[in-house]
Amino acid sequence: MPPKTRKRRGKALVAAVAEDAPENKAEQNQTVSPEYLETVIGELEHESERRVKKLKRAMGDMRQEFLNHFQVELLKIPRKIREMKVDHFSSEFGGCMEEALKKAAQWEVEKVVPTSASPDPEMKADAISHLQSLQDEISKAMKSLQQAAS
């Protein structure tokens, strides 16, 4: 489907005004009719209203796109951290998201292998591989958060 073309009403309006403009000194002494001025002003007001509506629509679309992207980025943060109160987050992690994500990865490992139990070598290898995958996810999340912040 070919792209939509915009109507260029402004150029047509300027051309119409230029055609009706007086060409010589004798014609410049005459005044422009009030009806003509009202028509030109009406056209300009109509064009400006149309452009304002277009800008507002684009602004609303960008706002919604930003909110959607923000929600996706929030979902990448582990639930335990998302549900923390801000003062608890800042006191525990010093306000550092990287430290919080590392701690979340450690919580995940503790789910797999409790620290009180002495794991067998196979469980330890599984825990290490799980931890490495979590660290990869954390690094991806950090990169996307940094990109979203910039």
Side-chain angles (χ1 to χ4, degrees), residues 15-52:
V17 170
E19 286 177 10
D20 292 341
E23 294 296 326
N24 57 36
K25 299 275 184 190
E27 289 178 340
Q28 286 182 357
N29 291 336
Q30 297 175 352
T31 59
V32 179
S33 70
E35 297 85 20
Y36 176 75
L37 287 177
E38 287 178 22
T39 304
V40 170
I41 290 172
E43 284 289 324
L44 289 173
E45 286 176 351
H46 177 69
E47 181 68 21
S48 64
E49 288 172 6
R50 186 185 67 79
R51 289 183 182 188
V52 166

Coordinates of all heavy atoms in Angstrom, one line a residue, residues 15-52:
A15 N 0.2 30.6 -2.6 CA 0.2 30.9 -4.0 C -1.0 31.8 -4.4 O -0.9 32.7 -5.2 CB 0.1 29.6 -4.8
A16 N -2.2 31.5 -3.7 CA -3.4 32.3 -4.0 C -3.2 33.7 -3.5 O -3.6 34.7 -4.2 CB -4.6 31.7 -3.3
V17 N -2.5 33.9 -2.4 CA -2.3 35.3 -1.9 C -1.3 36.0 -2.8 O -1.5 37.2 -3.1 CB -1.7 35.2 -0.4 CG1 -1.2 36.6 0.0 CG2 -2.8 34.7 0.5
A18 N -0.3 35.3 -3.3 CA 0.7 35.9 -4.2 C 0.0 36.3 -5.5 O 0.4 37.3 -6.1 CB 1.8 34.9 -4.5
E19 N -0.9 35.5 -6.0 CA -1.6 35.8 -7.3 C -2.5 37.1 -7.1 O -2.5 37.9 -8.0 CB -2.5 34.7 -7.7 CG -1.8 33.5 -8.3 CD -2.7 32.4 -8.6 OE1 -3.9 32.6 -8.6 OE2 -2.2 31.3 -8.9
D20 N -3.1 37.2 -5.9 CA -3.9 38.4 -5.7 C -3.1 39.6 -5.2 O -3.7 40.7 -5.0 CB -5.0 38.0 -4.6 CG -6.0 37.0 -5.2 OD1 -6.1 36.8 -6.4 OD2 -6.7 36.4 -4.4
A21 N -1.9 39.5 -5.0 CA -1.1 40.6 -4.5 C -0.9 41.7 -5.6 O -0.8 41.3 -6.8 CB 0.3 40.1 -4.1
P22 N -0.9 42.9 -5.2 CA -0.8 44.0 -6.2 C 0.6 43.9 -6.8 O 1.6 43.7 -6.2 CB -1.0 45.3 -5.4 CG -0.9 44.9 -3.9 CD -1.1 43.4 -3.9
E23 N 0.6 44.2 -8.1 CA 1.9 44.1 -8.9 C 2.6 45.4 -9.0 O 3.8 45.4 -9.1 CB 1.6 43.4 -10.2 CG 1.1 42.0 -10.2 CD 2.1 41.1 -9.6 OE1 3.3 41.3 -9.8 OE2 1.7 40.1 -8.9
N24 N 1.9 46.5 -9.1 CA 2.6 47.7 -9.4 C 2.2 48.8 -8.3 O 1.3 48.5 -7.5 CB 2.3 48.3 -10.8 CG 0.8 48.5 -11.0 OD1 0.1 48.8 -10.1 ND2 0.4 48.2 -12.2
K25 N 2.8 49.9 -8.3 CA 2.6 50.9 -7.3 C 1.2 51.5 -7.3 O 0.7 51.7 -6.2 CB 3.6 52.1 -7.5 CG 5.0 51.7 -7.5 CD 5.5 51.7 -6.1 CE 7.0 51.4 -6.1 NZ 7.5 51.2 -4.8
A26 N 0.6 51.6 -8.4 CA -0.8 52.1 -8.5 C -1.7 51.2 -7.7 O -2.6 51.6 -7.0 CB -1.2 52.3 -9.9
E27 N -1.5 49.9 -7.9 CA -2.4 48.9 -7.2 C -2.1 48.8 -5.7 O -3.0 48.5 -5.0 CB -2.3 47.5 -7.9 CG -2.8 47.4 -9.3 CD -2.6 46.1 -9.9 OE1 -1.7 45.3 -9.4 OE2 -3.3 45.7 -10.8
Q28 N -0.9 49.2 -5.3 CA -0.6 49.1 -3.9 C -1.3 50.1 -3.1 O -1.5 50.0 -1.9 CB 0.9 49.2 -3.7 CG 1.6 48.0 -4.1 CD 3.1 48.1 -3.8 OE1 3.6 49.2 -3.4 NE2 3.9 47.1 -4.2
N29 N -1.7 51.2 -3.7 CA -2.5 52.2 -3.0 C -3.9 51.8 -2.6 O -4.5 52.4 -1.7 CB -2.5 53.5 -3.8 CG -1.1 54.1 -3.9 OD1 -0.3 53.9 -3.0 ND2 -0.9 54.9 -4.9
Q30 N -4.4 50.8 -3.3 CA -5.7 50.4 -3.1 C -5.7 49.4 -1.8 O -4.7 48.8 -1.6 CB -6.3 49.6 -4.3 CG -6.4 50.4 -5.5 CD -6.9 49.6 -6.7 OE1 -6.9 48.4 -6.6 NE2 -7.2 50.3 -7.8
T31 N -6.8 49.4 -1.1 CA -6.9 48.5 0.1 C -7.4 47.2 -0.3 O -8.1 47.0 -1.3 CB -7.8 49.2 1.1 OG1 -9.1 49.3 0.5 CG2 -7.3 50.5 1.6
V32 N -7.1 46.2 0.5 CA -7.5 44.8 0.3 C -8.9 44.7 0.9 O -9.2 45.3 2.0 CB -6.6 43.8 1.0 CG1 -7.0 42.4 0.8 CG2 -5.2 44.0 0.4
S33 N -9.8 44.0 0.2 CA -11.2 43.9 0.7 C -11.3 43.1 2.0 O -10.5 42.2 2.2 CB -12.1 43.3 -0.3 OG -11.7 41.9 -0.4
P34 N -12.2 43.5 2.9 CA -12.3 42.8 4.2 C -12.8 41.4 4.0 O -12.4 40.5 4.8 CB -13.4 43.6 4.9 CG -13.5 44.9 4.2 CD -13.0 44.7 2.9
E35 N -13.5 41.1 3.0 CA -14.0 39.7 2.7 C -12.8 38.8 2.4 O -12.7 37.7 2.9 CB -15.0 39.6 1.6 CG -16.3 40.4 1.8 CD -16.2 41.8 1.5 OE1 -15.3 42.3 0.7 OE2 -17.0 42.6 2.0
Y36 N -11.8 39.4 1.6 CA -10.6 38.6 1.3 C -9.8 38.3 2.5 O -9.3 37.2 2.7 CB -9.8 39.4 0.2 CG -8.5 38.7 -0.1 CD1 -8.5 37.6 -0.9 CD2 -7.3 39.2 0.4 CE1 -7.3 36.9 -1.2 CE2 -6.1 38.6 0.1 CZ -6.1 37.4 -0.7 OH -5.0 36.8 -1.0
L37 N -9.6 39.3 3.4 CA -8.9 39.1 4.6 C -9.5 38.1 5.5 O -8.8 37.3 6.1 CB -8.7 40.5 5.3 CG -7.8 41.5 4.7 CD1 -7.8 42.8 5.5 CD2 -6.4 40.9 4.7
E38 N -10.8 38.2 5.6 CA -11.5 37.2 6.4 C -11.4 35.8 5.9 O -11.2 34.8 6.6 CB -13.0 37.5 6.5 CG -13.3 38.7 7.4 CD -14.8 39.1 7.4 OE1 -15.6 38.2 7.1 OE2 -15.1 40.2 7.7
T39 N -11.4 35.6 4.6 CA -11.2 34.3 4.0 C -9.8 33.8 4.2 O -9.6 32.6 4.6 CB -11.4 34.4 2.4 OG1 -12.7 35.0 2.2 CG2 -11.3 33.1 1.8
V40 N -8.8 34.6 4.1 CA -7.4 34.2 4.3 C -7.2 33.9 5.8 O -6.6 32.8 6.1 CB -6.4 35.3 3.8 CG1 -5.0 35.0 4.3 CG2 -6.5 35.5 2.3
I41 N -7.7 34.7 6.7 CA -7.6 34.4 8.1 C -8.3 33.1 8.5 O -7.8 32.3 9.2 CB -8.1 35.6 8.9 CG1 -7.1 36.8 8.8 CG2 -8.2 35.2 10.4 CD1 -7.6 38.1 9.4
G42 N -9.5 32.9 7.9 CA -10.2 31.7 8.1 C -9.5 30.5 7.7 O -9.4 29.4 8.4
E43 N -8.9 30.5 6.5 CA -8.1 29.4 6.0 C -6.9 29.1 6.9 O -6.5 28.0 7.2 CB -7.6 29.7 4.6 CG -8.6 29.6 3.5 CD -9.0 28.1 3.3 OE1 -8.1 27.2 3.4 OE2 -10.2 27.9 3.0
L44 N -6.2 30.2 7.4 CA -5.1 30.1 8.2 C -5.5 29.4 9.6 O -4.8 28.6 10.1 CB -4.3 31.4 8.5 CG -3.6 31.9 7.3 CD1 -3.1 33.3 7.5 CD2 -2.4 31.0 6.9
E45 N -6.6 29.9 10.1 CA -7.1 29.3 11.4 C -7.4 27.8 11.2 O -7.1 27.0 12.1 CB -8.3 30.1 11.9 CG -8.0 31.4 12.5 CD -9.2 32.2 12.9 OE1 -10.3 31.8 12.5 OE2 -9.0 33.3 13.5
H46 N -8.1 27.5 10.1 CA -8.4 26.1 9.8 C -7.2 25.3 9.7 O -7.1 24.2 10.3 CB -9.3 26.1 8.6 CG -9.6 24.7 8.1 ND1 -10.5 23.9 8.9 CD2 -9.2 23.9 7.1 CE1 -10.6 22.7 8.3 NE2 -9.8 22.7 7.2
E47 N -6.2 25.8 9.0 CA -4.9 25.0 8.8 C -4.2 24.8 10.2 O -3.7 23.8 10.5 CB -4.0 25.8 7.8 CG -2.7 25.1 7.5 CD -2.9 23.8 6.8 OE1 -3.9 23.6 6.1 OE2 -2.0 23.0 6.8
S48 N -4.2 25.9 11.0 CA -3.5 25.8 12.3 C -4.3 24.8 13.2 O -3.6 24.0 13.9 CB -3.4 27.1 12.9 OG -4.6 27.7 13.2
E49 N -5.6 24.8 13.2 CA -6.4 23.8 14.0 C -6.1 22.4 13.5 O -6.0 21.5 14.4 CB -7.9 24.1 13.9 CG -8.3 25.4 14.6 CD -9.7 25.8 14.3 OE1 -10.4 25.0 13.7 OE2 -10.2 26.8 14.8
R50 N -6.0 22.2 12.2 CA -5.8 20.9 11.7 C -4.4 20.4 12.2 O -4.2 19.2 12.6 CB -5.8 20.9 10.2 CG -5.7 19.5 9.5 CD -5.7 19.6 8.0 NE -4.5 20.2 7.5 CZ -3.3 19.6 7.4 NH1 -3.1 18.4 7.8 NH2 -2.2 20.3 7.0
R51 N -3.4 21.3 12.1 CA -2.0 20.9 12.5 C -1.9 20.6 14.0 O -1.3 19.7 14.5 CB -1.0 22.0 12.1 CG -0.8 22.0 10.6 CD 0.2 23.0 10.2 NE 0.4 23.1 8.8 CZ 1.4 23.8 8.2 NH1 2.2 24.4 8.9 NH2 1.4 23.8 6.9
V52 N -2.7 21.4 14.8 CA -2.7 21.2 16.3 C -3.3 19.8 16.6 O -2.8 19.1 17.4 CB -3.4 22.3 17.0 CG1 -3.7 22.0 18.4 CG2 -2.6 23.6 16.9

